[in-house]
Amino acid sequence: MRAEIAAHPPVEGSYSPQRGDNCLAMFADGEWYRARVEKVESLAKVHVFYIDYGNREVVSSTRLAAMPPAFSTRTLPAQATEYTFAFIQVPQDEDARADVVDCVVRDIQNSQCLLNVEYSGATCPHVTIQFGDTKDDVGLGLVKEGLVMVDVRKEKHLQKMVTEYLNSQESAKSAREESYKCIQTLKCCHVTPTS
């Protein structure tokens, strides 16, 4: 693909991005990668999803080009598949969200995991991820740590898992309340030094 682009470089400004289009996007390393246009705020702010790597970026339309037909997703399917966790709500706060992402990366990086599609979503499938060796549920672990809240589902076949998640959420809340009480008790205690 890069040889094709080097032989026929894109003409700056010749591509008009449209939401849902597959195109080429120039990444920060100066190389071109396949991408999908997710949102066009303006010609200076185009949101793209790199379909072979799974990362997102906001770029100027001058860093976008039409995808050569030989490299379309019909010829070569996207190499990154997007999923979202089932049964959990990711925090809206950016710092809290970053903590969740860091925790997931730390926990599953270099681990063999099992992925199960639990239900369909508007944009991508909702999944649970288990560690291959222990079968522990990664999302449930996030709930137990108090990093995320439960997304309650009403489907009958999902109720056993929803109940397990809700019970873990209540345990996490109780543990947090107990920790808070201990901290308040320590603040109220006055220690008198002895000589």
Side-chain angles (χ1 to χ4, degrees), residues 18 29 38 41 44 70 82 105 107-108 110 112 115 134 169 174 195:
Q18 299 293 318
D29 63 2
E38 293 190 315
E41 286 186 51
E82 188 171 12
V105 169
D107 287 350
I108 68 173
N110 300 320
Q112 184 175 11
L115 181 138
T134 65
Q169 179 174 277
S174 295
S195 37

Side-chain angles (χ1 to χ4, degrees), residues 2-191:
R2 292 189 180 129
E4 170 80 18
I5 292 167
H8 303 95
V11 177
E12 190 172 307
S14 65
Y15 176 73
S16 178
Q18 299 293 318
R19 185 175 180 267
D21 282 356
N22 286 327
C23 63
L24 296 178
M26 184 184 290
F27 190 61
D29 63 2
E31 297 290 347
W32 293 90
Y33 298 91
R34 299 188 314 161
R36 180 179 63 244
V37 176
E38 293 190 315
K39 180 179 179 183
V40 181
E41 286 186 51
S42 67
L43 291 179
K45 285 187 171 183
V46 181
H47 298 249
V48 297
F49 174 74
Y50 290 96
I51 65 174
D52 296 319
Y53 293 91
N55 54 319
R56 290 183 162 80
E57 188 177 29
V58 178
V59 299
S60 166
S61 64
T62 59
R63 290 180 43 202
L64 300 175
M67 187 179 302
F71 305 103
S72 76
T73 53
R74 288 185 181 136
T75 306
L76 176 63
Q79 301 299 296
T81 304
E82 188 171 12
Y83 297 102
T84 190
F85 273 103
F87 311 117
I88 65 172
Q89 299 172 13
V90 177
Q92 295 300 311
D93 177 73
E94 286 192 33
D95 290 338
R97 182 184 300 240
D99 288 344
V100 171
V101 170
D102 289 345
C103 185
V104 170
V105 169
R106 181 194 70 228
D107 287 350
I108 68 173
Q109 189 173 24
N110 300 320
S111 298
Q112 184 175 11
C113 294
L114 306 170
L115 181 138
N116 188 58
V117 175
E118 301 295 344
Y119 50 92
S120 298
T123 57
C124 61
H126 291 245
V127 301
T128 52
I129 300 173
Q130 293 179 334
F131 293 105
D133 53 355
T134 65
K135 306 296 188 259
D136 288 343
D137 184 325
V138 175
L140 187 59
L142 296 172
V143 173
K144 287 177 179 177
E145 290 182 40
L147 293 170
V148 296
M149 298 293 288
V150 176
D151 180 22
V152 179
R153 302 293 300 187
K154 301 293 185 193
E155 297 92 333
K156 190 174 182 176
H157 69 282
L158 299 174
Q159 290 313 298
K160 182 179 177 185
M161 289 188 80
V162 169
T163 300
E164 183 179 8
Y165 273 66
L166 286 171
N167 289 341
S168 294
Q169 179 174 277
E170 287 307 311
S171 295
K173 283 182 183 178
S174 295
R176 231 182 355 263
E177 288 170 2
E178 195 59 38
S179 293
Y180 179 76
K181 286 178 188 175
C182 288
I183 291 169
Q184 293 307 313
T185 302
L186 289 173
K187 285 181 179 178
C188 293
C189 294
H190 296 285
V191 177

